[in-house]
Amino acid sequence: NAGVTQTPKFQVLKTGQSMTLQCAQDMNHNSMYWYRQDPGMGLRLIYYSASEGTTDKGEVPNGYNVSRLNKREFSLRLESAAPSQTSVYFCASSRDREASYGYTFGSGTRLTVV
Amino acid sequence: QQQVKQSPQSLIVQKGGIPIINCAYENTAFDYFPWYQQFPGKGPALLIAIRPDVSEKKEGRFTISFNKSAKQFSLHIMDSQPGDSATYFCAAQVSGSARQLTFGSGTQLTVLP
């Protein structure tokens, strides 16, 4: 099925460990995003990539890095995980930065940092 | 800084009731207002959207009402069903800008059978 695929679905990290969350879309979308979802906070943008080869900071970028590997793939890296990064992470894509085309979200990665 | 404020945080209604979720925004440059629906364990999905040149938009049982002067918009679900139980997010964007969608904090809706 066409859509956005995120891996892994669940992950437990110890404080200070690093990991990379993977995201791939097969809809030929230009723009991709990483959000985190926390109770009562809604969805907050971490980083986005308006097009292949570009990345920009969102609302909460501290402690994260991203790579737009190609048009299909956009990864999120935690270099030194902290308990405050315990969250559900969503990757999304859109035809371009115009939200009226709709964002397609993956099913999320539930990350726990202990 | 929360540019889109959503209420209530949670809402419980009986089947057939009309839940109403409200959002208020601060940035008058916003000109696109979508609503996303999220079921447990899934990512959000676009439900319905409105632009400020109209005051109301209906798609099936879902209606958005928009009040430009008050900088508020709301989602109404007619004849709600247990299958509508989900988390609903409002959002806003300035079309054509480099800025991305700004989401509200979400409303967890439960429709009792």
Side-chain angles (χ1 to χ4, degrees):
Chain A
N1 292 333
V4 177
T5 302
Q6 289 184 237
T7 56
K9 294 187 182 301
F10 301 94
Q11 184 71 48
V12 179
L13 288 179
K14 293 182 178 179
T15 298
Q17 286 185 319
S18 62
M19 78 162 295
T20 299
L21 281 64
Q22 307 287 351
C23 175
Q25 52 90 9
D26 57 5
M27 297 169 286
N28 201 35
H29 283 172
N30 290 308
S31 300
M32 299 185 73
Y33 316 86
W34 276 104
Y35 284 88
R36 60 178 288 173
Q37 182 177 15
D38 302 290
M41 302 291 287
L43 292 155
R44 292 183 293 169
L45 183 65
I46 305 171
Y47 271 92
Y48 67 97
S49 171
S51 60
E52 185 179 358
T54 68
T55 60
D56 288 285
K57 295 178 180 179
E59 181 184 355
V60 288
N62 292 344
Y64 306 95
N65 284 299
V66 292
S67 295
R68 183 75 182 264
L69 304 171
N70 48 56
K71 191 172 186 179
R72 293 186 60 249
E73 298 173 287
F74 188 38
S75 63
L76 178 72
R77 182 161 179 85
L78 287 70
E79 292 291 352
S80 179
S84 61
Q85 294 178 305
T86 293
S87 186
V88 181
Y89 291 85
F90 287 99
C91 177
S93 71
S94 64
R95 176 176 162 177
D96 62 26
R97 65 188 185 191
E98 285 290 339
S100 58
Y101 291 115
Y103 285 18
T104 299
F105 283 83
S107 57
T109 295
R110 185 174 294 276
L111 175 67
T112 302
V113 182
V114 297
Chain B
Q1 182 182 0
Q2 189 175 11
Q3 294 194 56
V4 181
K5 295 184 178 180
Q6 183 172 348
S7 63
Q9 188 172 359
S10 64
L11 186 57
I12 301 174
V13 299
Q14 295 286 339
K15 177 183 175 181
I18 305 176
I20 301 172
I21 304 170
N22 300 299
C23 285
Y25 62 97
E26 300 167 1
N27 186 351
T28 55
F30 285 145
D31 61 355
Y32 175 70
F33 302 90
W35 285 86
Y36 279 73
Q37 179 188 53
Q38 183 183 29
F39 292 106
K42 302 293 186 182
L46 179 63
L47 180 65
I48 186 174
I50 196 169
R51 292 194 181 273
D53 53 344
V54 296
S55 60
E56 186 176 277
K57 183 174 181 180
K58 292 183 179 180
E59 286 188 7
R61 295 182 294 106
F62 299 91
T63 300
I64 300 179
S65 298
F66 188 84
N67 186 330
K68 188 174 181 179
S69 61
K71 294 187 288 184
Q72 295 176 348
F73 58 109
S74 60
L75 177 70
H76 302 232
I77 306 175
M78 304 302 176
D79 187 28
S80 59
Q81 301 296 313
D84 296 329
S85 297
T87 300
Y88 293 83
F89 293 95
C90 61
Q93 189 194 33
V94 179
S95 295
S97 78
R99 296 187 182 275
Q100 311 312 307
L101 271 177
T102 298
F103 285 87
S105 55
T107 297
Q108 186 170 352
L109 172 66
T110 301
V111 181
L112 301 174

